[in-house]
Amino acid sequence: MKREYIQVRCSIYEKKLLQRRAARAGISLSEYIRNTAFDKNIVERITPEQVETYQMLVQYKNNFTRIGNMFRKRDPKLAREVEDLAREIRTHLKNFKK
């Protein structure tokens, strides 16, 4: 249970910046300041636009994989290029999860 109270002086700009960062992380300003003081990792929440982009990339990766499978017998070079593109998208998706 947190009972102690600490006052910190900062400029209006700094306060707004801290509030904005806390809001993006989905936590209170107090919790944000405590976490940064103790060097805890603060993860920002994903915006709806980012979720939509992620879902679109998943669909693209799946579609390119299917296209690569279709062309494997007819045009191996094109199939390799499509598979490389699908791998590249998969790499970006893995980075997005971190």
Side-chain angles (χ1 to χ4, degrees), residues 37-84:
F38 294 118
D39 291 328
K40 292 185 179 176
N41 187 20
I42 299 172
V43 179
E44 291 186 10
R45 301 289 170 132
I46 298 174
T47 65
E49 293 84 20
Q50 290 171 325
V51 171
E52 185 178 325
T53 302
Y54 178 79
Q55 291 171 342
M56 183 178 63
L57 280 174
V58 169
Q59 287 177 339
Y60 285 168
K61 189 226 27 126
N62 292 337
N63 289 340
F64 283 122
T65 301
R66 289 182 188 122
I67 291 168
N69 291 338
M70 281 177 28
F71 286 115
R72 183 170 289 129
K73 292 181 183 176
R74 295 183 190 147
D75 190 354
K77 183 179 177 184
L78 178 61
R80 262 192 313 278
E81 290 179 19
V82 171
E83 288 171 1
D84 290 343

Side-chain angles (χ1 to χ4, degrees), residues 9-45:
R9 292 192 172 275
C10 64
S11 68
I12 292 172
Y13 172 77
E14 291 170 330
K15 181 179 178 182
K16 291 201 180 289
L17 181 62
L18 289 169
Q19 288 172 331
R20 186 175 300 132
R21 288 182 179 178
R24 278 191 276 166
I27 57 178
S28 69
L29 179 58
S30 296
E31 188 175 353
Y32 179 82
I33 291 172
R34 276 193 305 275
N35 287 342
T36 55
F38 294 118
D39 291 328
K40 292 185 179 176
N41 187 20
I42 299 172
V43 179
E44 291 186 10
R45 301 289 170 132

